[in-house]
Amino acid sequence: KVKIFSIDTDGRLWMAFGNIQSCVDEQTLNEIRQRARENIRSLSSAELYPAVKVSEAFKDEKDIKEFKELIDWIISKITQKVKDSEDTKQI
């Protein structure tokens, strides 16, 4: 299990790049960071755990839809890297 993001009681969304980095290579992590920064408005510049207020990140349904798509894409990247790693171990 990998935490991808969290939302705290203060209404702040945290992206968990620090957790994700243990599951993917550097190139994939950089791609995830780039897409997250393109899709989540006002995301802070922190390398491992950037944050933004939910009210700033999601202004309308389009923002929420894009976030869901981003999370699905991140899950697919992590799943693929884990699968590739398991396949390599079996060889």
Side-chain angles (χ1 to χ4, degrees):
K1 294 182 181 182
V2 179
K3 183 191 310 188
I4 297 172
F5 72 94
S6 62
I7 299 176
D8 66 22
T9 57
D10 291 336
R12 206 171 265 294
L13 166 73
W14 297 85
M15 290 303 296
F17 300 146
N19 294 43
I20 294 169
Q21 74 180 358
S22 66
C23 301
V24 298
D25 59 56
E26 190 67 28
Q27 180 181 350
T28 302
L29 181 61
N30 287 336
E31 187 178 4
I32 290 169
R33 282 184 179 126
Q34 179 183 353
R35 285 188 71 170
R37 293 188 192 294
E38 290 170 357
N39 285 282
I40 304 170
R41 73 178 81 213
S42 303
L43 189 62
S44 73
S45 61
E47 275 296 305
L48 298 179
Y49 298 95
V52 62
K53 287 192 173 259
V54 170
S55 60
E56 292 175 22
F58 306 117
K59 300 290 187 183
D60 56 33
E61 285 294 318
K62 180 179 177 266
D63 292 338
I64 294 170
K65 180 179 183 257
E66 288 176 356
F67 180 71
K68 288 178 182 178
E69 290 170 356
L70 172 67
I71 297 303
D72 286 343
W73 177 80
I74 293 172
I75 291 169
S76 73
K77 287 292 191 180
I78 293 169
T79 302
Q80 185 61 49
K81 288 296 179 183
V82 169
K83 183 181 178 299
D84 289 349
S85 176
E86 288 173 355
D87 289 348
T88 302
K89 287 178 185 175
Q90 292 177 6
I91 295 176

